Structure formats: C-alpha cells, structure tokens
Amino acid sequence: MTQNIQRRRLLLGAAGAAIAMNAPLAGAAQPRFAIGENDFLLDGKPFQVRCGEMHFARVPREYWSHRLKAIKAMGLNTVCAYLFWNYHEWREGKYRWEGQRDAVEFCRLAQAEGLWVILRPGPYACAEWEMGGLPWWLLKAPGDKFLRSRAPEYVQPARRWMAEVGRVLGPMQITHGGPILMVQVENEYGFFGEDLEYMRVMRKALLDGGFDVPLFQCNPTNAVAKTHIPELFSVANFGSDPAAGFKALQSVQKGPLMCGEYYSGWFDTWGAPHRRGDNARAIQDIDAMLNANGSFSLYMAHGGTTFGLWGGCDRPFRPDTTSYDYDAPISEAGWLGEKFRTYRECLLRHLQPGESPSPAPGKMPVMAIPAFALSETAPVFANLPQQAIQEASPRPIEEYDISRGLISYTVTVPAGPAGLLQAAKVRDLAWVYADGRMVGTMDTRYRRFSVELPARTKDTVVEILLYTIARVNFGVEVHDRKGLHGPVTFRSKGGAPQELKDWQIRAIDFDADAELPPLRWQAARAKGPAFWRGSFNAAKSADTFLDMSSWGQGIVWINGRCLGRYWSIGPTQTMYLPGPWIKVGRNEVVVLDLTGPRASRIAGLTAPVLDELHPERDLVRPPSTVRPRLAGLQPVHAGQFADGPATQDVKFSEAARGRQLCLEVVDTFDGKPNAAIAELALLDANGQPLNQSAWTIAYASSEEARKEDGSALNAINGQATDYWHTAYSNGARTSGPARLVLDLGAPADVAGLRYTPRQGPAGVTGRIKRYRVYVGDKLVSED
Ligand code: GLA
C-alpha cells in the first residue's frame, strides 16, 4: 500500500519515465533518486538539494579536493558541474578526458567528500566560456542560424558528444553507484529559441547516451514557460525574487521547487568595473527558498579562473576576464572569508536530519615573488611560420582550419595618394602596418574595420596582425567566425573603392592548450608585438598573483603551461598562479604582449587586484562627441510599459526601416530621473528578435560607471541580470530625457521591441513607464 502511494507520488523517476501519474513504474525497482510531487526523493525520503556550482576546468586539479571540501563545509550537499564540449573535443572526433579534463575523477572526489553531483553536459553551456562550450569547428559549416537548432550539421556532432559523455560518465550516475543525481539538457534554451522539438532531440540524445537519472532544463524566470515540456523537469534561474521564480515553475508543473542558478555575484569583462554580489540579499533569498521547501544551486559557489584561452565573450563583443572569481563565497584562490562565513551560518541552519557540519579546509600557502625581468624577446613578425596560405580575399579563419591565435595578413597596395583601407569585418583586434610602420588599429568592439593609409611613393606592403580573444558565448552571436573577413578595399581620397587581392596569410594557431610554437629568442628589447621570456627562482611551491599592471595586453605561460590572458585596462590587474604549477627552483615565464610593456618586469603579489580600471591603457579611441538629432522627427511608436520585472513585447503599428533606433524615456515608475534597461531586443515582422551581432551603442545619455557597471552595452548583451543604468554617482546626471541609441550596423525593418526591465523587487530604480521610439538612418551626429 505505502509502496503504491510512494510510486504514484513519483513524477519523474528514471529519465525516460516522464509523468509517472500516467505511466506508473509497475514492477520497476524504485530509483534511489526521483522527483516527487513536492520533493526530490532520495532513498524515498524528501531531500532538499543545496548545491553549489564549480567548474573543474577552472580549478587546478591538484586543488579539486580542497575546493570540494570547502563546498561541503559551507553547508552544501551537492556540486553542480558543466562539461564544456569544446574543452573535450577541440579537434573534431578527438575526445580528451585526461588531467584537468578528468571529469570522472572530479565526480569520484566529490563522492569521496560526501557530495552529490548535478551534471550539465550541454551541448551548449554559456558560462562565460569560449563559444558557450560549442566547438569552433562547427563554424566550418555555412550559415548563422544552425547552432542550437535541429540542423543536421549541429545535431549529428552534438549527438556524438552526448554519446561520448554517456560512455564516460554514465557509470557515475547514482543508478550505477556514482554521485550524479540529475543531468541538465541544453542551457537556458528558452532564453534563446522556442523549438520544443529541439529540446526533445537533445533530451533523446542523452537518453540514447545511456543516462537514466532524471533529466531537467533550466531557464531564467521569464523564460520558464516558453520551452517547458512535460518530459523534462524545469528549474528556474535568477539572482533575486525567488517567489517569482518558484511561481513560474508552479505554473508549468507539479514538483519540487528549484532554482537552477542563484547568482552569488557576477562575472567581469575587460574594461568594465568589477562586479560584486549583494551578500545580505543572497542570504535572505537562500533562507527564503529553503524555508519554502525549495532547492537551489549557487552560481557560483567557487568560480575559480578561466585558465588558458577558454574565456568567453558577452555580445556584441565584451570579452570576459581571466579571473572568474565571481565574488563567490569561495574566492578565486580558494580563500574562505566573511562571505563564506555568512553563507555557512545560513546553510547550517538548514541541515537535514542525519547531516552534520563538516570542517572548513585550511588556506593554501601564499607567497610573494620579488620582481624579475623578462629580457629576452621574440618579435611576433620574425616568428610567424614560413608557410603562407595564398588567397584572393581573406575568409574567416575556421575555413582554413585555424582555431584561434595570431594571424598575419599581407597584401601589396600600389603607390598613390592617402586613403581608407576597409575590411568587411574584423574579429577581434588588429594592428595595421605599412612597410613595417604601424598606421592604426582595427577593433571589433567599436566595429572599427578601417584605417587611414598614408600616401605612398612606391608599392607598399600592408601587414595586418590579428589577435583573436574569444568567441561570443551567448545568443545567435555564438556563430562568431574569427579573422579578417574580405573583401578588403582601398579607396583613395575622392576615388572609388578597389578590392585588394592576393593575400598571404600566416598563423600561429594557439589550438586547445596554447602550446608555444618554436621561437627564436634574442637578447634585445623588442618593439611592437613580441613574446618576452624571463624566469624566477622559487624556494617552495605556493600560490601567488602575478602583477601584470605594467604590461599591455596578451597571454602568459608558466613553465610552458598557458595561464591565461591579461589586459591591463583592468579591472583585473593580477593573474592567479596556483602553487602546484610552480617548481622549486627555476620557473620560466613567457609573455606575449601585443602593444609592448611599460616595464618588462613581473612580481608575484600575495593578494589579487581585481578592481582597478585603466581606460587610458586601452587602444586609442577618439573621444566621442556624438549627440542625438531628433528635432523634427516623429516617433515611430510611443507607449507605456507595464510595471514589474516581466519581459514585454511591443508591436509598432507598422514596421519602420532604419539603421538606428532610439528609445527615449519619458518617465519611470519610481518617478526619479534615472532610467534602466536590462535587455532591449528588436523584433521583425514575425515577432522574432533581430540578430544583434553587428550592433553597437551609438549614444547613451549617460552610463553609471563607478558605483556599478551600468554600461549601455548591458542592455544588449543578452543577460537580464545586468542592466544599463543612467549615471547617478559623483553628481553625474545629465539633463533632458534618458536616451539610448542603438546602431544596427545596417538598415533593418523593425516591427517592434522586446523590453526586459531591470530585475529585482518592486521599487528598484529605473523601470521605464512612458517612452518613445525613433527609427532612422542618422539619429545621431558629431557635435
Ligand atoms: C546564465 C548561464 C550561465 C552563466 C550565467 C552568468 O544564467 O546559464 O552559464 O553564463 O548566466 O554568469
């Protein structure tokens, strides 16, 4: 009798048996872990999942146990881990699971520490990881809509990946004696698409791969209902307002309430202020979720470091910093401070019967390293491979089987007057030389794809050195093909553009682990882009933080291992160097610097510097004097948004065509002069969002840049958690209405917009009430 009731209470047991209400698990042995009507059930008993996220790729393997101990000590009972497909299959068909990539060992260690595991194998992950975890070689296929769709060029390799994951990690499921309780299908797909069949195909790929634990999907609160299907349990992701998140879940399913990602902090991008989480609010929310019999996963419990070249990029183009500290309770170097203490205090109040607190692990030793010089150099131009690809016009690097790195493009421009050299597209940064002299930079952040070429008295060799930083990890913009895209043209003053043909292309492909190519070292200092080499002696192996503040931009290697990227514009100024990667004795450090250091020395500090911005160290960017020009223009639409955090679609009475769109704020719900926007998407005639990959901010009336990152780019980066906020600190307040002008890169038909207000509880500042929309080709001009 009790058995029957118990069985009927199971909503989702083994992955295949969806709603057990209609499909009782007659005769089947009761699974150890199942999803009941109100609770997760572990061995038949209600179980609250108190989970924390940690990505093993972001933590030195030697420290996995230490960090897992800290997660356990914080009062969590489960660890959540993404698998990044491209980390395991950087070259098609060559799967790698060794060393840092040993996911099975990570699960074993978690189990040894008494933690359960939630696995999120993708195929798409997001996570501020290169291309959201998708392998770059998928981009060899044409098109810019096939990723995360049912197109065979995506589904076939994705299914192969899921089968491989099943082969390797299937045995680690709870149903086979391992710690894996649940497995996630895709990631926030409802934030991206609406093809329910796609979710079914991805689910089936995991089932076919041998997964037999419950499968689930996660979506931000706003998108939970959009892609919910009965075969998959839904959880909601949010960083505030748990009640709204749980309500969204209750509207689509019966079952336990779970937050799939509760944000303890946020990630940093190069050039924007360091982010911090609101600790008091987080503790309150976690308490509330647990009191409501809810479950959660903290994103992140421990962020760690995006070592190597695995960092991702926000759209349209804001690359993520190497530090993934995330302001998480367990710091980048595994330190347990005040934040950890308050989380622990809260979580220990919610231990379940039979659980007892576990002790926090000690701090790993830290050491300073006296400043050492890097005095040998290997200029990039002298160290490019001899062999060149000959091409009429450059194509994206994926088409040449180049994954990422440094790519040199040379072409001859005939003698003649000065003019403009213009590429169709440049991903990501490029330095342009004419007969060995730097004449300018190209920069995808500002869609600056052209440089002025001076007058030439003879044929001139133009060499463009291109540096790839990261593929966008969010939105359709993941179709992020790198390199210089032709046609490249030259237009003399007053003349017509002429296509430049016959290019020579040479590349240093940094590949999966950025192994250094053979380099010819010299004792002299180098000018321009170069590798630099030096060494330090260590009496012991202990953690340290390399101070990169006197360098420009590039990559660091320690004893041949790629540590990661640096960029002294900040906010991160140091690089976490884990002790186990330091040898007792001599350690070799190589730095690639694209712009040249101010001083070619490095010291190891005993604490990180994560929050120091230096915009003056950036590539030259002319000061903007752009102003909106709306006088005499009629708005294409005027309206009023609803109050609250919900995303809202607005349809214009008719589509308007133009290259720019201005949203003008008339007033806000709190009646204060500040405005905020979490996300602004534009819709086509079918109500579908326009591709944002060519968008830039043409104008923002102001941006908060001190107290928080209120940059206007936050309104178009696809993340609802951050937002554009007009300036309020430092007395900086502009007069007149708040305005945001988007430049779409090319004229488009805009039939409506999708507005996501600043998230959070009632009363947050900046939620827009009345507004006007203008569309045109020239809504802004220089003063
Ligand atoms: C989303 C994704 C995560 C991560 C966070 C931001 O919620 O699911 O992978 O990108 O945003 O850190």
Side-chain angles (χ1 to χ4, degrees):
M1 177 67 183
T2 349
Q3 271 278 325
N4 277 343
I5 293 171
Q6 192 64 278
R7 282 207 188 122
R8 251 181 273 125
R9 281 186 58 209
L10 297 180
L11 280 176
L12 290 156
I19 304 291
M21 294 302 205
N22 338 327
L25 302 172
Q30 185 170 310
R32 285 201 62 199
F33 180 75
I35 299 179
E37 233 173 65
N38 300 306
D39 303 280
F40 292 109
L41 298 169
L42 184 62
D43 294 327
K45 294 200 193 71
F47 174 72
Q48 272 181 298
V49 181
R50 302 187 310 273
C51 181
E53 181 109 9
M54 154 180 171
H55 305 143
F56 56 83
R58 286 182 154 130
V59 179
R61 180 180 166 134
E62 297 84 343
Y63 285 165
W64 287 352
S65 280
H66 178 264
R67 307 302 196 257
L68 289 165
K69 280 191 172 67
I71 285 177
K72 177 84 178 163
M74 204 163 104
L76 299 170
N77 57 21
T78 308
V79 60
C80 181
Y82 275 127
L83 293 183
F84 301 122
W85 176 9
N86 57 10
Y87 193 56
H88 299 277
E89 197 187 356
W90 188 248
R91 292 278 161 186
E92 186 169 6
K94 296 203 177 96
Y95 294 108
R96 295 179 59 187
W97 297 99
E98 80 288 0
Q100 272 293 135
R101 293 173 165 86
D102 192 345
V104 170
E105 178 64 5
F106 177 75
C107 289
R108 267 196 220 114
L109 293 174
Q111 194 169 21
E113 296 303 334
L115 290 164
W116 298 104
V117 174
I118 292 178
L119 191 70
R120 309 206 288 168
Y124 167 75
C126 196
E128 293 69 70
W129 192 264
E130 150 87 15
M131 212 170 143
L134 300 175
W136 65 277
W137 44 262
L138 292 169
L139 295 171
K140 289 179 182 180
D144 58 5
K145 285 201 171 68
F146 66 92
L147 297 172
R148 304 181 72 192
S149 85
R150 275 186 285 146
E153 58 273 36
Y154 175 71
V155 171
Q156 275 165 20
R159 278 187 58 83
R160 270 201 327 262
W161 161 241
M162 305 284 228
E164 172 70 3
V165 175
R167 183 187 71 78
V168 175
L169 285 156
M172 297 310 286
Q173 298 176 93
I174 183 170
T175 40
H176 301 249
I180 298 175
L181 294 181
M182 300 204 282
V183 178
Q184 182 180 297
V185 182
E186 243 275 355
N187 190 78
E188 296 195 335
Y189 176 70
F191 210 5
F192 170 82
E194 50 201 29
D195 179 8
L196 303 184
E197 243 358 84
Y198 166 72
M199 284 305 284
R200 294 199 166 98
V201 168
M202 290 298 124
R203 169 179 174 269
K204 179 150 189 309
L206 278 176
L207 294 179
D208 292 348
F211 282 97
D212 53 11
V213 291
L215 303 181
F216 71 102
Q217 66 169 316
C218 76
N219 278 301
T221 299
N222 275 336
V224 162
K226 209 168 140 209
T227 51
H228 178 77
I229 49 172
E231 304 93 307
L232 284 175
F233 179 66
S234 274
V235 304
N237 296 352
F238 48 81
S240 61
D241 204 355
F246 284 178
K247 202 168 141 209
L249 293 173
Q250 280 163 328
S251 73
V252 297
Q253 68 187 10
K254 276 193 168 180
L257 301 167
M258 178 162 179
C259 173
E261 291 182 10
Y262 183 87
Y263 306 107
S264 59
W266 201 246
F267 59 89
D268 285 341
T269 56
W270 295 115
H274 176 52
R275 311 288 194 107
R276 288 218 164 77
D278 179 340
N279 205 20
R281 190 181 68 192
I283 298 295
Q284 229 177 39
D285 285 350
I286 288 171
D287 218 30
M289 288 191 274
L290 290 172
N291 285 333
N293 193 31
S295 291
F296 68 90
S297 182
L298 196 64
Y299 194 100
M300 302 292 297
H302 173 50
T305 314
T306 316
F307 296 113
L309 305 181
W310 297 104
C313 182
D314 239 4
R315 65 183 190 183
F317 190 82
R318 275 216 293 193
D320 303 312
T321 58
T322 300
S323 167
Y324 201 62
D325 178 83
Y326 218 85
D327 198 27
I330 303 165
S331 86
E332 179 174 10
W335 298 355
L336 311 178
E338 183 55 17
K339 196 160 183 172
F340 176 85
R341 201 190 56 72
T342 48
Y343 272 77
R344 181 169 203 255
E345 197 182 85
C346 165
L347 292 168
L348 291 189
R349 284 201 302 273
H350 293 278
L351 294 188
Q352 288 173 289
E355 280 189 295
S356 51
S358 78
K363 185 173 169 179
M364 290 298 173
V366 184
M367 65 177 179
I369 298 170
F372 57 95
L374 285 81
S375 36
E376 285 173 286
T377 63
V380 169
F381 290 121
N383 282 279
L384 290 166
Q386 289 298 308
Q387 224 190 347
I389 301 164
Q390 317 279 341
E391 269 281 47
S393 174
R395 289 178 285 144
I397 60 169
E398 292 79 6
E399 294 183 32
Y400 307 125
D401 202 32
I402 301 168
S403 65
R404 56 182 166 196
L406 282 171
I407 302 106
S408 141
Y409 300 83
T410 48
V411 74
T412 303
V413 183
L420 196 71
L421 183 139
Q422 168 98 44
K425 200 184 208 181
V426 177
R427 300 292 276 196
D428 300 314
L429 302 180
W431 288 261
V432 184
Y433 294 79
D435 277 343
R437 201 169 64 82
M438 232 262 273
V439 293
T441 55
M442 294 170 158
D443 190 329
T444 202
R445 287 174 297 169
Y446 313 113
R447 296 187 68 75
R448 199 168 63 211
F449 300 155
S450 61
V451 293
E452 293 281 345
L453 217 57
R456 300 154 318 280
T457 52
K458 55 179 178 52
D459 282 3
T460 298
V461 175
V462 168
E463 178 155 20
I464 301 176
L465 183 70
L466 182 132
Y467 174 60
T468 67
I469 302 183
R471 291 188 178 84
V472 169
N473 61 272
F474 197 86
V476 292
E477 292 79 0
V478 293
H479 297 83
D480 186 1
R481 297 181 175 84
K482 295 303 187 192
L484 184 72
H485 300 200
V488 185
T489 58
F490 180 70
R491 175 161 54 89
S492 306
K493 292 225 163 76
Q498 303 284 326
E499 184 172 350
L500 297 174
K501 293 230 170 120
D502 299 327
W503 292 79
Q504 303 226 344
I505 304 169
R506 294 183 180 80
I508 298 177
D509 188 334
F510 282 138
D511 221 18
D513 291 331
E515 272 166 40
L516 279 165
L519 296 168
R520 286 179 297 279
W521 293 101
Q522 60 184 34
R525 282 183 70 84
K527 270 198 161 170
F531 294 88
W532 298 70
R533 183 163 75 171
S535 64
F536 66 89
N537 278 303
K540 57 177 183 183
S541 299
D543 290 356
T544 191
F545 301 88
L546 298 182
D547 178 3
M548 299 306 294
S549 59
S550 72
W551 294 76
Q553 175 187 37
I555 302 172
V556 176
W557 289 260
I558 168 89
N559 297 323
R561 178 198 286 259
C562 182
L563 198 57
R565 298 184 195 277
Y566 67 93
W567 196 347
S568 64
I569 58 172
T572 322
Q573 296 295 337
T574 51
M575 298 188 75
Y576 172 50
L577 170 51
W581 298 355
I582 299 176
K583 296 186 284 194
V584 173
R586 185 174 172 278
N587 290 272
E588 186 182 274
V589 175
V590 172
V591 174
L592 164 68
D593 198 292
L594 276 318
T595 51
R598 288 179 301 286
S600 52
R601 300 169 76 75
I602 300 179
L605 311 183
T606 52
V609 180
L610 300 181
D611 56 0
E612 218 179 281
L613 282 173
H614 283 282
E616 77 283 0
R617 294 179 188 159
D618 207 340
L619 309 182
V620 192
R621 181 193 178 194
S624 169
T625 54
V626 160
R627 294 283 171 271
R629 295 281 175 253
L630 303 177
L633 293 183
Q634 282 304 313
V636 299
H637 181 83
Q640 178 166 335
F641 291 124
D643 198 1
T647 297
Q648 307 165 36
D649 281 9
V650 169
K651 211 167 173 269
F652 305 157
S653 55
E654 56 183 324
R657 189 168 177 79
R659 181 187 161 129
Q660 293 173 342
L661 178 137
C662 171
L663 185 90
E664 183 177 76
V665 179
V666 179
D667 54 11
T668 52
F669 280 101
D670 64 0
K672 302 212 177 96
N674 288 312
I677 296 178
E679 276 307 304
L680 187 62
L682 303 182
L683 306 177
D684 65 16
N686 300 319
Q688 294 303 309
L690 302 181
N691 184 317
Q692 303 190 188
S693 55
W695 290 15
T696 45
I697 301 293
Y699 172 81
S701 48
S702 71
E703 302 165 295
E704 176 57 33
R706 287 166 181 273
K707 285 263 169 71
E708 60 179 315
D709 175 13
S711 143
L713 282 170
N714 291 337
I716 54 170
N717 68 351
Q719 307 279 1
T721 313
D722 58 18
Y723 44 88
W724 166 53
H725 199 297
T726 51
Y728 58 87
S729 66
N730 200 25
R733 182 167 288 160
T734 45
S735 55
R739 284 171 174 154
L740 184 67
V741 184
L742 306 178
D743 189 302
L744 315 184
D749 292 315
V750 188
L753 59 83
R754 178 169 294 165
Y755 160 70
T756 306
R758 178 180 172 184
Q759 301 295 286
V764 292
T765 60
R767 282 191 187 149
I768 301 169
K769 193 172 175 188
R770 287 179 301 157
Y771 64 94
R772 297 190 194 104
V773 180
Y774 298 84
V775 174
D777 285 334
K778 253 195 172 305
L779 300 183
V780 297
S781 63
E782 300 277 330
D783 253 359

